Amino acid sequence: MADEAAVEFLRKYNLERLAECFAKVGANRDHFRYLRNNLVELMLILPVLDDRAKFVEAFDSEEASASDAIEAPSPSAPLTVRANLETICQMNDEGKKFWRQAQVKFGKPEREMLAPIITAYFYKIASGSINQQMFNEMFEIIRSQFPSETNKHIWYVGGNHPQGFLYESYRRLQTKAKQTGNKNQKKKKVANVLKHDARKTEANKTWHDLSEEEKDACSSAKLMLSTIPYNEIAEIFESWDASYPIRRFEIMSGNFKIEDYNVLNNFTKAHDLITKDFTRLHGKMSNIAAKIPVFVKKFNKIFHDYRKLIKDDTELCDEIIKTFSHDPPVNDHSIFLVFYTLPLLLRENFVYRGGKRMRPTLFMSRNAYMTIIPTEATLTETIETTRKKAQDRQTTVQPFIVAVGSIENIKKYFVVFDDLLLPCSRAIEAVDIHYKLHDVFNLLYAAECQTVLHFTQKFFYGQQYEEDSIRPHVEELISDILNP
């Protein structure tokens, strides 16, 4: 949080939303004059032009109204801009070389040197997307430093066919980023293939090693699952086991359709079917219930250490304090609270949506994992809303948990995956099935909450793959739980 004087100033001009931006770089009210006079540094803190314009306007208004006001220097005064341009140039060897050379002469070779230097600086600030306003700002900095540069068209021409030194430098940066991104994406795809290569090979081998007679038996068992009455428990389990090779082959070859296994939507022991496949994949695994007590008991200390991350959710904080103030019981309510809070403790820093890099809000991170609805009557609407939002973001809906009730009293849980809706009576059951669905059906973790799934995978089930990119704060949380 920014200091009180800074917050008070920002609140006075309806700019309190910017307080966190200043706080991140340790800027307090005393720094505002410096930032007003050094717009490039201000740009680094407030990359959105409208935010900078409103801040400068507010600062100038405050200065003008004060009895001891000192007129703020013009943002385009040569001294100020010269200092700012020098700051940019001193960041790398090419910039330093240009700065030395520009003190002697400034012509076409120097223009060609300066364009990529200043463009790279703005490119970083704009997270790879420079707009026309920022090109104009770059030119103003250059022109103020070198008054003879009056022909803007040399540097930037907007419209449908942009041109100029600055735009050409920008395009080169975009091309380089795209090439790097393609290489990284290629590596990522290889890593994903390698991660599941052993499983895929095993599934293919298991299926192709079967005789035609055995394959027909698997297919028949799969069809039987659609015809067996749901009260015939033994027969359903038998057909589920018998159809495992074809189901596994379908999953790993990308041909699996959940509607072909409608038994999961109607059989009261659908959780057991999923667990059977999970156990068949991994053998006897660590039971999540074995580690829940130590997690719940340690949560009170963990919460106080991480409380600043969720301070804005006062309702959740109050309920945690009330529940964990003494020796907390390991019951459904306490288990629900720790898992409902997890996405806030293990927040994702950045995700990619539609080719753009963004930081999900705490609300987005938690809803991707678990959401609360007041009554079961709104369940269908909640699922449809989630699907609509995913469609708008050009992504898929990965499995998520819906808790029915209030934060003080959850009455029922559902795990949602595609058209599959699995009811659960307890939080631990919902968390367990939610994770196993990902593993059994070879599903990617939702980008907004993948750290929560990585934590669950590693801490509760003891699973880790060489290709996993486990975030440091996941390891830190595990260490906090295990250490005395």
Side-chain angles (χ1 to χ4, degrees), residues 110-376:
E110 287 70 39
R111 290 190 191 103
E112 292 177 346
M113 286 181 68
L114 176 58
I117 293 167
I118 192 170
T119 306
Y121 184 80
F122 276 72
Y123 186 85
K124 181 178 180 181
I125 291 172
S127 299
S129 181
I130 301 177
N131 58 33
Q132 183 170 325
Q133 292 170 324
M134 298 187 88
F135 278 117
N136 292 336
E137 289 190 39
M138 279 189 269
F139 174 68
E140 288 303 321
I141 289 174
I142 294 168
R143 185 176 64 173
S144 298
Q145 179 63 50
F146 303 102
S148 61
E149 294 300 299
T150 56
N151 189 352
K152 181 179 178 181
H153 289 71
I154 292 175
W155 293 96
Y156 176 68
V157 180
N160 295 328
H161 303 286
Q163 299 177 46
F165 283 130
L166 295 175
Y167 185 75
E168 290 168 5
S169 297
Y170 175 47
R171 291 295 294 160
R172 284 195 292 271
L173 286 171
Q174 285 186 315
T175 301
K176 183 178 179 181
K178 186 175 181 180
Q179 291 172 344
T180 303
N182 288 340
K183 289 179 182 178
N184 290 339
Q185 186 64 26
K186 187 175 181 181
K187 289 179 182 177
K188 186 176 180 181
K189 287 181 178 179
V190 170
N192 285 339
V193 170
L194 289 173
K195 177 176 179 179
H196 301 297
D197 189 53
R199 289 189 182 185
K200 186 174 182 179
T201 301
E202 180 187 356
N204 288 340
K205 186 175 185 301
T206 300
W207 178 248
H208 291 302
D209 283 352
L210 296 178
S211 65
E212 290 302 316
E213 191 175 288
E214 289 171 323
K215 289 180 181 178
D216 288 342
C218 283
S219 299
S220 297
K222 174 185 171 181
L223 290 173
M224 283 290 291
L225 287 171
S226 302
T227 60
I228 302 172
Y230 297 126
N231 60 346
E232 299 292 339
I233 297 175
E235 288 186 40
I236 287 177
F237 278 126
E238 184 179 346
S239 293
W240 183 263
D241 283 339
S243 61
Y244 177 81
I246 189 171
R247 182 167 56 256
R248 195 67 199 153
F249 177 70
E250 290 169 346
I251 291 169
M252 299 312 296
S253 60
N255 297 315
F256 177 78
K257 297 178 182 178
I258 193 70
E259 58 267 27
D260 290 347
Y261 295 88
N262 201 41
V263 62
L264 292 171
N265 256 326
N266 299 281
F267 187 43
T268 56
K269 294 183 176 292
H271 305 175
D272 293 336
L273 298 180
I274 294 169
T275 298
K276 282 177 75 68
D277 280 6
F278 184 80
T279 304
R280 193 158 179 171
L281 274 172
H282 302 290
K284 190 174 181 180
M285 291 291 298
S286 170
N287 190 326
I288 185 174
K291 291 187 176 179
I292 284 289
V294 66
F295 186 30
V296 171
K297 294 294 184 184
K298 283 289 186 72
F299 184 75
N300 188 39
K301 179 182 182 302
I302 292 169
F303 164 69
H304 286 292
D305 290 343
Y306 288 77
R307 185 174 178 179
K308 62 182 179 181
L309 299 176
I310 57 173
K311 61 182 184 300
D312 293 334
D313 195 333
T314 54
E315 183 183 12
L316 176 60
C317 288
D318 291 345
E319 187 62 26
I320 290 173
I321 291 171
K322 183 175 73 175
T323 304
F324 290 85
S325 57
H326 302 293
D327 189 23
V330 181
N331 57 21
D332 187 70
H333 184 56
S334 61
I335 294 172
F336 156 74
L337 284 176
V338 297
F339 282 100
Y340 188 61
T341 309
L342 257 185
L344 310 185
L345 306 186
L346 297 173
R347 180 182 181 180
E348 287 294 333
N349 288 326
F350 295 102
V351 299
Y352 286 88
R353 288 286 174 256
K356 293 184 178 179
R357 188 171 180 251
M358 60 166 285
R359 189 179 192 196
T361 64
L362 291 174
F363 180 80
M364 289 170 61
S365 294
R366 183 164 63 191
N367 270 18
Y369 180 66
M370 183 187 298
T371 187
I372 296 179
I373 58 175
T375 66
E376 199 170 326

Side-chain angles (χ1 to χ4, degrees), residues 46 49 57 81 92 266 306 374 445:
L46 304 177
L49 179 62
E57 183 182 350
V81 176
N92 55 62
N266 299 281
Y306 288 77
Y445 298 156

